[in-house]
Structure formats: structure tokens, C-alpha cells
């Protein structure tokens, strides 16, 4: 891999230990994946922010980087952490967990990362443009910006995205290159237009193709539907890029000749639904995977207004970003009659397994991860069906 003189200086440690470590990691990834060199990025989004997922080893790694003077050199945002910074006691979080979680957020802040802690930074805090090269972790968010926005990122891990953010550069391979952004399969989708159906569609397609770049026909997703589709397909099939005819910015230029077509309709959605539904009843209902948008906050508040929570044995959490929560104070007042509106966190990266064992979600992504990362039996329904369980 060819490095410029300036990049070689960084690798020799002439710009500090933090930047040296970052360059070592980015060039190692570049060599593994056959990159010819590095490219400049315009932003980064970092995962590996919850104490639950990175533990003491990750905390120490961040301390070493921050103490080594590492600073991000492009606008960078952070994924959800293990708790709401101000309301962690309502989430049954221990003092020890909270202390370490706050320390992690502080370390990212010291490195210049914007500590908004959301998996939907593309709705406000960090919005790439079409054609931008970026280094994003968080499988749902990177799929959204690759596909719906037309920015270019690989499926970065937490350390790789942080290293790229420190350098302002990443290795030029994979989805940064035109040749890897071509569709590999066409999907003829026959579904209704609801957000939940897009989540099940993503689950079904991910389960069927297990990777690659699908090209959808028959759907017209808006932001909320694309958010659900991106998250579900990333979780069930590691899909990091898709195109939608007439919707996504690169779809018009795609060559479809010779592409295999798969059909996804009611039968496939039923299969996806059965895979995600194991529990009969729940102790926690957690809505907001990926984080709720303003539109979704309005919809939930409108649905709940004038109703009462009948089941005291079930907790409800609504997960969103701090920015959206601040902008939706009227909705928050209605929703909080039912449960806390939590910012900075979610049901998967919070340590819910210490308190709950059966959790309801309206997200196929959470439906995949609740059993594996949180030891939960999951129940997956659309938003109104979930809420109707407790009113
Ligand atoms: Fe976001 Fe957590 Fe879902 S990070 S995409 S709400 S699993």
C-alpha cells in the first residue's frame, strides 16, 4: 500500500502516539483488504461506546488513546451508550456501571468526539452528502448513509472508525470503490408501506441473501421506512448497501442486466416474523431501534393521548436522541405517562439482562440482538400492537 510522506511520518510516531496507533490500525486494515492507499474522509460515526459492550479492556484502550493526545480531525459522533446520562437509575443501572460509562463518554469527548450518543446521527448531528467518503460504524446507520444518502463507507468496527476519525483518512477499498457498489441481486418486494413491514422485509432479505448489494423494486421508503430496512438487513444479513428504484441516489445508474431476481412477499414476511417472535408476553417494551425520529415521536404521542397504562407489571422505554427529545417536549409529556423517554441509549446496549428476561420490540434488528446480546426472549410486533398490550 502506498503512503504519502506525511502519512509515513504519522506511522513513525512523529505526530504522537495516538496518531501512530491510529495509522497502524488503518494501514493494517488497508493491507488486509488490498487497498492501494488512503483517502480523506469528511466525517466519522463511532460505535463501541457502551461499557456493556467494550468492558474494562475497551475503557483502558480509550484511556491510552486520550492520554496519548489523540484527537479526531473530522466531525465525529458517537453511538448509543449503556444508559441515559441523567436517568440511569430509572433503567436499574448500578453505580459502578454508571461511573465507568460516564468515564467512557468523557474520554470520547476529550478526543473531540461530539457525544450525542445516537444511532441516527444522519437526522441532525452528522449528515453526510452524496459522494462523501466517510468512516462509519453502527451497521444500521452506515447502511442508511451508504444507501439512502449515497455517501461511501465500509462496515467499520468501533476501533477502525475511531482510528479513521483521528487521521481524517481511511483505507480506500470495499464500498469506497464504484466497482463494489453495483447491485448483486434484484428484490421484487410485495409489501404494504408500513415501517414494520419494511423491518420484516429487511429481515427476510438479509436471511435470504446473507450479504451483497440488493436492488429493490416495488417499495418507496421514506426516512423512517429506510431506517427500519437498513437496520434489519444489516442485522440479519450484514448488508451495508442497497439501492431502491426511483428512491436512492445511485439507483438510476445501476446496471441490472443478468441480475437474479428474488421475490419477497407475504410468505417470506411470515417466516421472518416467526423467527423474531419467541416470547408470549413481556416484562419490558422498548421502542426506538433505531432511535425514534421526530415524526415517530409525534405518532406515538398521538396514539397514546387520552389513554391509560393498564399493566403496571410491564415497563415501557422509548429510545431517541437527546436532540429529538428536546425538540418534542409536548410529545414527551404524553409518552412519559407510560414510560421514560430515554436519550443516549437503547435496549440492546443497556445491560437489561440483569433486570428483564422477556422484551418486546418493533424492530427486527433488536429482535435479532435481544436474544444473543441481552439473553432475552423477544416478541416483535408493530408499534401500535405493542402498545395495545399494556393499555
Ligand atoms: Fe440503535 Fe441500539 Fe438499535 S444502537 S440500531 S437502537 S440496537
Amino acid at each position: 500500500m502506498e503512503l504519502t510522506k506525511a502519512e509515513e511520518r504519522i506511522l513513525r510516531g512523529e505526530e504522537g502516539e495516538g496518531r501512530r496507533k491510529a495509522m497502524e490500525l488503518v494501514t493494517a486494515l488497508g493491507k488486509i483488504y488490498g487497498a492501494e492507499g488512503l483517502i480523506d474522509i469528511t466525517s466519522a460515526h463511532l460505535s463501541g461506546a457502551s461499557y456493556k459492550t467494550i468492558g474494562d479492556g475497551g475503557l483502558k484502550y480509550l484511556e491510552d488513546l486520550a492520554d496519548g493526545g489523540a484527537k479526531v480531525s473530522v466531525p465525529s459522533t458517537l453511538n448509543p451508550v449503556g444508559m441515559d446520562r441523567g436517568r440511569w437509575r430509572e433503567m436499574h443501572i448500578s453505580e459502578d456501571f454508571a461511573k465507568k460509562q460516564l468515564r467512557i463518554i468523557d474520554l470520547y469527548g476529550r478526543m473531540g468526539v461530539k457525544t450525542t450518543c445516537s444511532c441516527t446521527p444522519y437526522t441532525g448531528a452528522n449528515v453526510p452528502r452524496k459522494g462523501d467518503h466517510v468512516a462509519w460504524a453502527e451497521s444500521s446507520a452506515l447502511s442508511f448513509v451508504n444507501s439512502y444518502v449515497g455517501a461511501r463507507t465500509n462496515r467499520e468496527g468501533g476501533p477502525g472508525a475511531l482510528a479513521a476519525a483521528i487521521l481524517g483518512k481511511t483505507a480506500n477499498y470495499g464500498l469506497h470503490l464504484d466497482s463494489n457498489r453495483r447491485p448483486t441481486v434484484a428484490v421484487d418486494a410485495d409489501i404494504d408501506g408500513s415501517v414494520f413491514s419494511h423491518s420484516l422485509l429487511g429481515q427476510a432479505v438479509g436471511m435470504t441473501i446473507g450479504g451483497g448489494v440488493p436492488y429493490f423494486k416495488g417499495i418507496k421508503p421514506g426516512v423512517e421506512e429506510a431506517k427500519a430496512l437498513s437496520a434489519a438487513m444489516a442485522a440479519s444479513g450484514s448488508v451495508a448497501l442497497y439501492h431502491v428504484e426511483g428512491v436512492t441516489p445511485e439507483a438510476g445508474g445501476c446496471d441490472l442486466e443478468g441480475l437474479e431476481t428474488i421475490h419477497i412477499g407475504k410468505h417470506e414476511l411470515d417466516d421472518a416474523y416467526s423467527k423474531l417472535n419467541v416470547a408470549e408476553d413481556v416484562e419490558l417494551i422498548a421502542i426506538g431501534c433505531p432511535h425514534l425520529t421526530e415524526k415517530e415521536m409525534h405518532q406515538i404521542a398521538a396514539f397514546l393521548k387520552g389513554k391509560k397504562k393498564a399493566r403496571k407489571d410491564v415497563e415501557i422505554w422509548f429510545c431517541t436522541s437527546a436532540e429529538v427529545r428536546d425538540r418534542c417536549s409536548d410529545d414527551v409529556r404524553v409518552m412519559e405517562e407510560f414510560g421514560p423517554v430515554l436519550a443516549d441509549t437503547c435496549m440492546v446496549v443497556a445491560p437489561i439482562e440483569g433486570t428483564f428476561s422477556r422484551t418486546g420490540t418493533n424492530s427486527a434488528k433488536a429482535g435479532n440482538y435481544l436474544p444473543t446480546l441481552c439473553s432475552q426472549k423477544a416478541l416483535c410486533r408493530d408499534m401500535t400492537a405493542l402498545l395495545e398490550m399494556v393499555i
Side-chain angles (χ1 to χ4, degrees):
M1 193 166 75
E2 280 199 24
L3 297 183
T4 63
K5 293 225 171 334
E7 290 162 356
E8 277 171 0
R9 252 197 331 272
I10 299 171
L11 196 55
R12 285 197 298 272
E14 291 176 26
E15 294 185 14
E17 186 54 13
R19 282 172 70 74
R20 188 194 65 75
K21 275 192 176 160
M23 183 58 89
E24 207 171 66
L25 181 51
V26 167
T27 50
L29 286 169
K31 280 180 194 157
I32 290 168
Y33 291 106
E36 289 180 0
L38 306 185
I39 40 163
D40 291 344
I41 56 169
T42 56
S43 78
H45 180 69
L46 314 177
S47 63
S50 167
Y51 176 64
K52 168 176 157 174
T53 54
I54 67 169
D56 290 323
L59 178 50
K60 172 84 174 54
Y61 178 76
L62 292 173
E63 271 169 347
D64 288 349
L65 272 178
D67 291 347
K71 292 254 186 258
V72 297
S73 50
V74 291
S76 304
T77 41
L78 199 59
N79 221 31
V81 296
M83 60 187 211
D84 184 307
R85 261 173 281 198
R87 302 178 65 173
W88 49 271
R89 287 187 178 82
E90 292 171 62
M91 299 174 65
H92 319 283
I93 300 283
S94 71
E95 298 268 350
D96 182 56
F97 185 100
K99 206 168 120 208
K100 288 175 170 163
Q101 183 62 76
L102 291 172
R103 173 92 181 119
I104 289 169
I105 298 170
D106 181 55
L107 287 166
Y108 276 112
R110 266 176 59 195
M111 289 190 270
V113 177
K114 191 172 177 190
T115 54
T116 44
C117 308
S118 173
C119 51
T120 56
Y122 48 80
T123 61
N126 189 350
V127 188
R129 289 163 311 179
K130 179 174 186 276
D132 281 356
H133 292 276
V134 299
W136 280 41
E138 170 44 44
S139 60
S140 70
L142 70 89
S143 175
F144 185 97
V145 298
N146 253 335
S147 312
Y148 207 72
V149 177
R152 296 183 170 215
T153 178
N154 282 318
R155 203 176 146 92
E156 299 280 358
L162 176 56
I166 290 167
L167 299 171
K169 290 170 184 287
T170 192
N172 192 13
Y173 68 94
L175 296 176
H176 292 287
L177 306 174
D178 288 343
S179 54
N180 296 319
R181 299 180 69 84
R182 294 183 189 130
T184 56
V185 61
V187 181
D188 171 25
D190 180 14
I191 64 164
D192 67 45
S194 70
V195 171
F196 188 59
S197 289
H198 282 79
S199 196
L200 290 180
L201 171 64
Q203 176 73 21
V205 172
M207 282 165 51
T208 309
I209 67 171
V213 181
Y215 181 100
F216 287 95
K217 298 175 183 181
I219 54 172
K220 291 274 176 265
V223 168
E224 283 72 19
E225 292 78 21
K227 169 172 82 85
L229 179 66
S230 305
M233 244 182 331
S236 62
S238 304
V239 172
L241 168 66
Y242 58 90
H243 305 287
V244 183
E245 189 171 62
V247 176
T248 57
E250 293 172 47
C254 290
D255 179 7
L256 305 180
E257 206 177 315
L259 223 52
E260 178 202 357
T261 297
I262 58 169
H263 176 83
I264 302 285
K266 185 178 177 320
H267 177 69
E268 290 75 18
L269 260 52
D270 286 349
D271 276 356
Y273 184 83
S274 335
K275 171 167 190 304
L276 296 168
N277 276 280
V278 178
E280 304 263 301
D281 196 13
V282 294
E283 297 158 332
L284 171 68
I285 290 175
I287 294 175
C289 169
H291 275 173
L292 294 166
T293 62
E294 280 185 66
K295 182 176 170 188
E296 290 172 319
M297 295 282 284
H298 300 333
Q299 285 169 341
I300 294 171
F303 176 77
L304 292 176
K305 199 163 185 173
K307 298 188 172 77
K308 289 251 173 310
K309 185 170 175 223
R311 283 189 62 183
K312 304 290 175 219
D313 59 324
V314 180
E315 287 191 29
I316 305 182
W317 293 359
F318 303 100
C319 301
T320 188
S321 65
E323 290 166 329
V324 168
R325 184 171 67 181
D326 287 350
R327 285 202 294 264
C328 297
S329 48
D330 290 346
D331 301 323
V332 169
R333 262 192 297 283
V334 175
M335 292 159 77
E336 295 230 328
E337 294 289 319
F338 293 79
V341 178
L342 302 168
D344 310 321
T345 188
C346 85
M347 66 302 284
V348 170
V349 297
I352 63 168
E353 52 278 17
T355 309
F356 306 102
S357 59
R358 287 169 289 135
T359 295
T361 172
N362 62 332
S363 158
K365 175 175 176 178
N368 280 281
Y369 288 161
L370 285 167
T372 53
L373 301 180
C374 310
S375 310
Q376 301 294 296
K377 285 193 170 158
L379 178 139
C380 195
R381 301 270 197 279
D382 76 26
M383 192 153 59
T384 45
L386 276 180
L387 293 171
E388 273 165 356
M389 291 175 72
V390 296
I391 53 182

